[in-house]
Amino acid sequence: MIRFVFCCLLSAVFSVAAFAETKQVELEIGGKVALADLTVPDGKTLAGGVLVLAHGTLAHKDMELIEGLQDLMAERGIATLAPSLTFGLDRRTGMYDCAVPTMHRHEDGVAEIAAWIDWLRNEGAKKISVFGHSRGGNQAAAYAAGDKEIGKLVLLAPAMGRTAQELADGFKDRFKTDLAPLMDKVEKLIDAGKGDELVDVPGFIYCPAGKASAASIKSYYGGAADQMTIAQLAKVAAPVL
């Protein structure tokens, strides 16, 4: 039985591999090299259509969900591109390292999705759809709201966005301290043109205490209206699942 199961697993792995070619591609975005996995099924080309896969908060292209989706799409003859957001780092792999001071912003993810879609179009992709998971769902929706050429939009457990008060409540619950004094300090730095200045934080998103830039804190905890997914979906011309 063990041999039978092992043979079945090997068969599944090699059957997926036989369906498609996967290669890692690079793209310079904002002075950093971003990485992505491009999977094109046998007999298909980018001109036939591509699904872009956007991962969730502080995650990456090699997480099980994204790799599994690439395999499943390959079986169905659908080409996919799975980028890892740079988060301001060169050739970033794996989960974001919380020991690194946070300089990235939520909206950077939208810009990087746009950069990869521009790259695909330059490579000959004609029909492009977008998939997003968790925060990537919010970012995918924000991107699709401004690109009327997107074919379809698929959101899996998308982050829906929070008001400033909801974010403050969540911050207090997670890090046991009020957000307001931190935001006051952040606003003053940004008004003074010091958005890149690092600030001590009791915690940040999923990370413990460390440092984050004023602009990053404002982006993730300011309750920006464009992070409300429902509002973005109202502007999306493509069919949404």
Side-chain angles (χ1 to χ4, degrees):
M1 177 60 73
I2 292 174
R3 288 178 180 173
F4 174 75
V5 171
F6 183 67
C7 288
C8 287
L9 288 172
L10 282 177
S11 176
V13 169
F14 285 114
S15 64
V16 170
F19 281 128
E21 175 190 3
T22 297
K23 63 179 180 179
Q24 182 171 278
V25 293
E26 299 182 354
L27 178 65
E28 185 174 325
I29 304 175
K32 304 298 181 182
V33 175
L35 305 178
D37 287 339
L38 177 64
T39 298
V40 181
D42 291 345
K44 301 291 184 177
T45 66
L46 294 182
V50 185
L51 177 65
V52 176
L53 306 174
H55 61 70
T57 305
L58 305 184
H60 55 96
K61 65 180 177 59
D62 299 313
M63 60 189 297
E64 185 177 4
L65 171 66
I66 300 299
E67 286 191 337
L69 283 170
Q70 287 201 285
D71 288 344
L72 291 169
M73 294 300 102
E75 290 179 14
R76 290 156 177 78
I78 299 171
T80 53
L81 178 76
S84 283
L85 297 180
T86 66
F87 297 134
L89 303 176
D90 206 39
R91 291 184 170 85
R92 188 184 70 86
T93 59
M95 294 296 291
Y96 185 79
D97 183 357
C98 288
V100 177
T102 302
M103 300 292 290
H104 56 83
R105 304 170 304 164
H106 170 90
E107 54 269 29
D108 294 339
V110 182
E112 291 195 22
I113 291 171
W116 279 112
I117 289 177
D118 286 344
W119 178 83
L120 281 170
R121 287 175 172 150
N122 288 333
E123 292 292 311
K126 301 299 182 185
K127 296 179 291 184
I128 299 174
S129 294
V130 184
F131 163 94
H133 170 239
S134 189
R135 184 180 296 274
N138 175 282
Q139 291 163 330
Y143 173 78
D147 185 346
K148 304 309 179 184
E149 301 300 316
I150 288 299
K152 296 177 181 178
L153 176 63
V154 181
L155 308 181
L156 176 62
M160 301 307 292
R162 295 181 181 182
T163 65
Q165 186 58 56
E166 289 170 335
L167 287 163
D169 292 343
F171 191 90
K172 179 70 175 288
D173 184 60
R174 179 180 287 270
F175 301 119
K176 312 306 178 188
T177 188
D178 288 329
L179 178 62
L182 177 62
M183 293 305 295
D184 286 343
K185 182 175 184 178
V186 161
E187 294 286 1
K188 290 176 182 176
L189 286 171
I190 292 173
D191 289 345
K194 299 179 180 179
D196 288 338
E197 186 166 318
L198 292 175
V199 177
D200 289 325
V201 289
F204 195 81
I205 313 176
Y206 298 151
C207 293
K211 291 183 178 292
S213 72
S216 185
I217 297 167
K218 172 72 172 180
S219 174
Y220 284 101
Y221 287 102
D226 61 4
Q227 292 182 26
M228 305 302 283
T229 302
I230 293 298
Q232 294 291 0
L233 291 181
K235 308 172 192 174
V236 175
V240 180
L241 173 62

